[in-house]
Amino acid sequence: MSPEKAKTGCLVLAVQGGATLARAAQAADRAAKGALRHALAGGDLAEKAGSTLLLRDVDGLGAERVLLVRLGERDKYDVAAFREALRGLGAALKGLGAKDVVLLVADFAVGGRGLPWTVRHAILGIRDAFYRFDQLKTQKKPAAPALAAVTLAITGAPLTLQAQAALKEAVATADGIDLARTLGNLPANLCTPSHLADEARKLAAQFKLGIEVLERRDMEKLGMGALLSVTRGSRQPPKLIVLRYNGASKKKKPLVLVGKGITFDTGGISLKPGGDMDEMKFDMSGAGSVLGAIRALASMRAPVNVVGVVPTCENMPGGEATRPGDVVTTLSGQTVEILNTDAEGRLILCDALTYAARFDPEAVVDIATLTGACVIALGHVATGLFANDQKLADDILAAGDDAWDRVWQMPLWEDYQEQLRSNFADMANIGGRPAGSVTAACYLARFTRKLRWAHLDIAGTAWRSGRDKGSTGRPVPLLVRLALRQAGRRA
Ligand code: BES
Ligand code: MN
Ligand code: ZN
């Protein structure tokens, strides 16, 4: 399709530094007899990446509106500037009355990343801008966005199978991200362990997945003493959700994703301080990301085998709650002295990780809002990565870069293990102040010695605080890319 002819509510064009239009945008400018460059010469489009300028009824073009989006200086254009441009574009589109837009996507391409990559990220960027969580508000403002359809126009390059696959992957990934975000944003009175199990059952029915939900008595029979110790103070029944998607040959060993599903973390008897405690509803974000990633992979019919294992319960104080000093026996047989009931994530994860071994996994990746220390170490940019297998770690690092859902590897050295020493049991569940996220990972490592395993600490990346408080849906993009890369997909 030639952009100048596009009959659309809005034609989106990329602008580099100054008044330099990107390639396809130049063709539109020619059709408009230089009107676009003329508008730019007026100086109304700021130089900053992501700035936008809206023009209406440009003569010579079929579109009702033209939205010019600044990419920033050509030699500084990178993934970060691309993301800024998309953010600006998304914000501008939200405010428009247009019902449909045509985006000349190749003009947004970043050096070193192919067209399929650009397609994926463009879709994810726009879907991110249009995500809303207003189901608990009686007044929805604005009532509904006008925009109903986005067309990605590719000129000059043939529409390859890769670009089509990228489109499918991006839409499925966006749906998975939305699911993870919505589960994270739902408050703990609604998003209970039972609610997560129901959501998993819905996914199973919709996408023909295998599902099994273990109840408290099943956990008791198996001997999941650590998981059971966390749920003791709560009225909500715990669940262990197992969700399976088989998109590849039965012979292929699965990737097992284990997600921390604490639907609310008060700290238990080691009660947390009150400030910002509401944010502990996000403590099931690891679980949400596992459900979101499986939804994405299943809906795009990815050629992968994945098992999601989600231990979920509440961490509450109460007359029956676990006390500091209590000793419990884990599913692995190892005993743990619970010195702090607020270090509960590792307690539910250790039993889930032991359980994961029964699926004879190719690799196991757990995802958890595990430590405040990880937020101190890496802030809100990178997810913490720990792994007992460097090949797996490298795969995760590469998938994170590709998805721009980045991770940073931290050490898992034996030297840290002595911090978990206990006088009364095989180990303690905390390792003291130094290197809090490392000792948490070292604790988990004691339950995964026979597995290829990695741990993602998403405490800093799963949600945003402050005015824009809310779930991010990370690391769904990373997990989807990881699974696809393991199945050989690179583009
Ligand atoms: N869910 C928290 C971790 C957390 C804290 C995530 C703040 C995001 C923001 C976890 O269960 C926890 O409480 N961890 C403790 C561990 C400590 C007691 C060893 C922590 O980080 O303080
Ligand atoms: Mn805690
Ligand atoms: Zn927690």
Side-chain angles (χ1 to χ4, degrees):
M1 181 197 357
S2 45
E4 57 277 11
K5 298 210 185 82
K7 288 243 179 300
T8 174
C10 184
L11 177 66
V12 178
L13 301 173
V15 186
Q16 292 155 345
T20 319
L21 291 157
R23 282 255 312 268
Q26 288 175 13
D29 188 51
R30 279 192 296 276
K33 302 208 169 56
L36 303 182
R37 233 167 323 163
H38 180 72
L40 286 170
D44 295 333
L45 181 64
E47 287 288 337
K48 206 171 156 305
S51 307
T52 57
L53 177 63
L54 186 71
L55 308 173
R56 301 188 122 270
D57 303 323
V58 178
D59 271 345
L61 299 183
E64 288 167 39
R65 306 170 187 74
V66 174
L67 184 67
L68 300 174
V69 180
R70 183 70 86 186
L71 304 182
E73 282 170 57
R74 190 200 291 252
D75 52 343
K76 290 208 189 101
Y77 190 60
D78 57 6
V79 178
F82 168 68
R83 304 260 301 189
E84 275 309 313
L86 279 179
R87 214 190 314 274
L89 167 62
L93 288 181
K94 270 205 295 186
L96 287 188
K99 287 195 186 55
D100 68 320
V101 309
V102 171
L103 175 65
L104 292 172
V105 70
D107 277 357
F108 288 80
V110 180
R113 316 257 177 176
L115 184 64
W117 184 92
T118 313
V119 167
R120 274 195 276 127
H121 283 266
I123 292 169
L124 288 175
I126 294 171
R127 284 285 302 265
D128 177 65
F130 279 82
Y131 172 82
R132 317 212 304 183
F133 181 76
D134 55 11
Q135 56 178 273
L136 303 177
K137 291 188 189 269
T138 56
Q139 310 278 327
K140 326 266 186 224
K141 287 181 290 192
L147 186 64
V150 176
T151 302
L152 301 185
I154 298 167
T155 53
L159 177 64
T160 61
L161 284 174
Q162 279 188 344
Q164 273 174 15
L167 183 75
K168 198 164 143 204
E169 177 186 336
V171 171
T173 304
D175 289 343
I177 292 170
D178 285 5
L179 173 64
R181 291 178 82 171
T182 294
L183 290 173
N185 288 332
L186 264 185
N189 61 327
L190 302 175
C191 185
T192 58
S194 304
H195 178 78
L196 287 178
D198 288 344
E199 286 291 319
R201 286 192 191 97
K202 267 199 249 164
L203 288 180
Q206 187 178 354
F207 297 103
K208 301 197 171 57
L209 310 176
I211 185 159
E212 199 182 350
V213 178
L214 305 196
E215 306 290 336
R216 187 197 306 271
R217 57 184 178 280
D218 304 312
M219 301 171 194
E220 283 165 358
K221 266 189 227 140
L222 285 162
M224 297 182 158
L227 169 46
L228 286 164
S229 76
V230 177
T231 191
R232 290 181 64 91
S234 169
R235 297 287 186 91
Q236 293 292 335
K239 308 277 170 184
L240 189 116
I241 304 163
V242 179
L243 193 60
R244 273 168 173 269
Y245 166 65
N246 284 326
S249 138
K250 281 222 174 66
K251 275 178 274 170
K252 207 159 172 282
K253 294 180 174 191
L255 171 65
V256 178
L257 302 176
V258 179
K260 172 178 172 181
I262 295 290
T263 57
F264 198 80
D265 182 11
T266 65
I269 297 300
S270 311
L271 194 64
K272 285 185 181 294
D276 292 332
M277 206 207 273
D278 63 289
E279 296 191 1
M280 283 302 129
K281 72 173 182 179
F282 295 117
D283 212 17
M284 39 53 65
S285 297
S289 74
V290 170
L291 297 184
I294 291 180
R295 188 196 198 286
L297 292 164
S299 83
M300 75 179 82
R301 296 175 186 279
V304 298
N305 292 338
V306 186
V307 180
V309 176
V310 171
T312 172
C313 68
E314 268 185 343
N315 186 22
M316 302 288 275
E320 293 275 346
T322 293
R323 296 146 290 250
D326 286 2
V327 174
V328 298
T329 302
T330 63
L331 179 61
S332 73
Q334 302 175 90
T335 58
V336 178
E337 183 188 11
I338 300 175
L339 287 174
N340 189 320
T341 64
D342 196 12
E344 84 297 339
R346 60 198 79 180
L347 293 172
I348 68 169
L349 287 171
C350 71
D351 282 348
L353 287 166
T354 303
Y355 193 74
R358 70 169 56 201
F359 303 108
D360 190 23
E362 176 62 34
V364 177
V365 178
D366 78 69
I367 306 99
T369 48
L370 203 63
T371 63
C374 192
V375 189
I376 303 302
L378 299 175
H380 305 287
V381 178
T383 290
L385 165 66
F386 302 82
N388 66 8
D389 180 293
Q390 195 52 40
K391 163 93 178 36
L392 177 61
D394 290 340
D395 278 351
I396 293 173
L397 284 161
D401 176 79
D402 188 344
W404 212 247
D405 183 1
R406 290 170 298 170
V407 301
W408 190 257
Q409 192 173 4
M410 309 262 276
L412 194 64
W413 298 330
E414 286 296 316
D415 313 50
Y416 292 97
Q417 286 287 355
E418 65 180 29
Q419 286 179 241
L420 294 171
R421 211 186 64 83
S422 160
N423 282 355
F424 304 104
D426 295 341
M427 70 194 87
N429 77 326
I430 52 169
R433 296 257 298 161
S437 41
V438 180
T439 53
C442 284
Y443 172 95
L444 298 176
R446 293 180 180 223
F447 299 84
T448 53
R449 299 242 187 249
K450 296 195 187 101
L451 302 170
R452 284 181 69 209
W453 160 77
H455 157 60
L456 296 172
D457 194 332
I458 56 168
T461 51
W463 76 85
R464 276 185 280 271
S465 308
R467 205 187 135 77
D468 293 323
K469 187 183 288 191
S471 174
T472 61
R474 289 180 69 181
V476 171
L478 158 71
L479 296 175
V480 171
R481 267 280 112 188
L482 176 68
L484 290 173
R485 288 177 72 91
Q486 295 213 322
R489 175 108 52 111
R490 284 290 178 275

